[in-house]
Amino acid sequence: SEYFAASGEGSKTTHRIRLRYQNSLSALAPTDRLSISSTVYDVESVINVQNRNREYVLMCSVVDRGS
């Protein structure tokens, strides 16, 4: 995909998380963290798929517990 081609080598993205579009999520930014069960993810990129306001794809990495 374009994201992986643009991110280049050295990128630490480890997970792609898909979410249904919700207005309340429109403020998501690459500075945010996401917690699912006991795992915390750093959000690296927020993609509104085709700008159709139906789905977000979050490119994330797992937060090291020492962080």
Side-chain angles (χ1 to χ4, degrees), residues 42-61:
D42 273 330
V43 176
E44 296 176 3
S45 176
V46 179
I47 302 164
N48 180 349
V49 177
Q50 298 179 345
N51 291 318
R52 295 182 73 192
N53 295 340
R54 292 187 178 181
E55 176 184 33
Y56 285 114
V57 174
L58 308 180
M59 306 308 280
C60 303
S61 60

Side-chain angles (χ1 to χ4, degrees), residues 5-50:
S7 64
E9 217 167 300
S11 175
K12 62 180 182 166
T13 299
T14 58
H15 291 77
R16 177 179 14 204
I17 299 171
R18 297 171 58 183
L19 302 171
R20 288 181 196 223
Y21 181 87
Q22 297 178 38
N23 282 334
S24 62
L25 297 176
S26 64
L28 274 173
T31 55
D32 292 329
R33 285 190 168 175
L34 182 67
S35 178
I36 301 174
S37 297
S38 62
T39 306
V40 178
Y41 300 90
D42 273 330
V43 176
E44 296 176 3
S45 176
V46 179
I47 302 164
N48 180 349
V49 177
Q50 298 179 345

